[in-house]
Amino acid sequence: MADNSSNDAYWSANLRIIMISLVIWAVVSFGFGILLRPMLSGIAIGGTDLGFWFAQQGSIIVFLILIFNYAMRMNKLDREHGVDEE
């Protein structure tokens, strides 16, 4: 019974990390890059407006940051639950 609750806690934490990452990715790529692009067009960054930057480069950079963040958080979670690779 204790093993089952530990598995449930592990997968619950895993799904929470995944959902938070997906929401951040959706907000940055779809929200800032597409929906909020007209509102961000007045802010200049790197010679172009901020909305275009998010659509072209910002969402990719945030995606890469999310990948590394996910890997670090999952390694920590694996160690906490005793399922890490040694």
Side-chain angles (χ1 to χ4, degrees):
M1 185 82 156
D3 187 35
N4 194 19
S5 66
S6 176
N7 288 341
D8 290 343
Y10 175 79
W11 284 107
S12 175
N14 184 2
L15 290 176
R16 186 176 60 247
I17 293 169
I18 290 171
M19 292 307 296
I20 290 170
S21 298
L22 286 175
V23 167
I24 292 171
W25 184 45
V27 166
V28 169
S29 63
F30 187 72
F32 290 160
I34 297 172
L35 296 178
L36 298 177
R37 188 186 186 290
M39 292 182 358
L40 297 173
S41 65
I43 303 169
I45 183 170
T48 187
D49 66 89
L50 188 59
F52 180 78
W53 184 85
F54 268 114
Q56 297 300 314
Q57 295 162 339
S59 60
I60 296 169
I61 292 170
V62 170
F63 183 67
L64 291 173
I65 291 169
L66 285 172
I67 290 172
F68 286 108
N69 182 48
Y70 176 77
M72 290 187 313
R73 303 258 330 247
M74 284 306 298
N75 285 337
K76 180 181 175 190
L77 186 65
D78 288 348
R79 281 191 303 273
E80 289 174 359
H81 288 273
V83 294
D84 59 331
E85 299 175 3
E86 297 195 33

